[in-house]
Structure formats: structure tokens, C-alpha cells
Amino acid sequence: MKKALIMMAVAAVITVLTACNPTKELEANSLEINYTTLRNYFVNNYVDVSKEQHLYINSEEEFFNYFGHAAYMGNGGQPTQVNFKQQFVVAIVLPETNRETALNITDVRRNGDTIIIYYRENRGEKTSYTMVPWAAVALDKPTDARDFRFLYRKQ
């Protein structure tokens, strides 16, 4: 009898914890948003990269406070253009690291006034240099979103 009560209590706690997860509820009722992945930029060397940053950028001036052009010759070498009259940028910048790191925004969704940005991070081998992993996307204006959630997705 005692064992059955403990099992029921554990089941009840698990049910409550999973049912009350606001992130799961937010995700379940969300809609996909079109976005453009930004390429061929770098994080400026005067940006504080000691901690992870989640950025909402609404102007070209603010954007270039964080990022610079990293163009190269050949196909796909030009930086992605952002029209700040019609778009805004959300970005994630990770702390500086000496490991090969790929950071990708995998999906952007919306639920009411909340925009959910899903991202993945793949870490590789140690390198002889440091890098600042980052990812950014441009989204269409106008938006009445007041909350931006960055959610890490494991592989």
C-alpha cells in the first residue's frame, strides 16, 4: 500500500511538472515565421563577449555597433543585406572560445506577443585561435512582439 502511494505521488508530481511547463505550452501553440539568416558578418572586437548575449536590433547604426562586414570574393561572398525600414534583427552571441563552434538558428516561431528563436550549437576540436560564435536572422517589421525567447535545441 505504501509503495503504491509513493508511486501515485511521483506520477502526480511528474504530471504537474509537465503540465505546468509554460515553454511547452508556448511552443505547442506557436506559428512559423519567415526569416532570413544573416551571413558574412563578424562580431566587432570591442563587443563584450565574456557572456552569452541575446540581441534585438532595430537600426543599422545599432547593428554595426555589434557586427562588421566579412565579405569575400566569389559566389555568396557578400554580406546579407538588411533593410531596417522593413526588418529588424535578432541575434545570439556566445562567449569567445578556442573550440571550433558552429551556431545556427534553426527555427523562428511566434505565439501572441512572444517570438521564439530556436538555435543549435555544435562544438568541435580545440584550435590554436579564438573565435566568437554568433548567429542572426532578419525578421519583417512591424511587430507587436514584446518578448523574445531563445531556446537551445540539442541535436
Side-chain angles (χ1 to χ4, degrees):
M1 176 77 172
K2 191 174 185 180
K3 203 175 200 180
L5 279 172
I6 291 173
M7 295 293 281
M8 286 176 37
V10 168
V13 167
I14 290 171
T15 302
V16 168
L17 289 176
T18 56
C20 295
N21 186 338
T23 301
K24 292 280 187 206
E25 186 178 314
L26 190 64
E27 292 178 87
N29 300 320
S30 64
L31 301 172
E32 215 171 313
I33 296 178
N34 291 330
Y35 62 92
T36 303
T37 302
L38 301 188
R39 302 206 186 292
N40 299 338
Y41 291 96
F42 63 88
V43 177
N44 289 323
N45 63 1
Y46 51 80
V47 173
D48 178 13
V49 292
S50 62
K51 62 183 190 295
E52 185 172 315
Q53 295 185 56
H54 300 158
L55 307 171
Y56 168 80
I57 302 171
N58 211 19
S59 72
E60 187 172 14
E61 181 181 355
E62 184 181 6
F63 181 80
F64 286 112
N65 283 334
Y66 288 98
F67 300 101
H69 291 285
Y72 60 89
M73 302 217 17
N75 270 351
Q78 291 300 313
T80 308
Q81 296 298 307
V82 179
N83 180 348
F84 283 97
K85 291 179 181 174
Q86 298 175 354
Q87 297 174 303
F88 66 97
V89 171
V90 289
I92 181 169
V93 178
L94 296 182
E96 186 174 46
T97 181
N98 67 343
R99 290 197 175 272
E100 193 64 42
T101 305
L103 186 63
N104 297 300
I105 293 176
T106 59
D107 195 13
V108 180
R109 303 186 71 80
R110 182 183 181 127
N111 185 336
D113 63 356
T114 301
I115 292 181
I116 309 161
I117 300 99
Y118 295 95
Y119 68 96
R120 267 198 187 129
E121 174 187 3
N122 296 317
R123 290 199 179 248
E125 300 294 318
K126 281 190 175 182
T127 64
S128 60
Y129 57 88
T130 61
M131 65 178 296
V132 178
W134 67 276
V137 293
L139 303 170
D140 290 338
K141 287 181 183 177
T143 182
D144 55 351
R146 290 181 289 209
D147 187 21
F148 294 86
R149 304 249 179 114
F150 288 79
L151 300 179
Y152 178 75
R153 278 193 171 162
K154 292 184 180 180
Q155 296 198 52

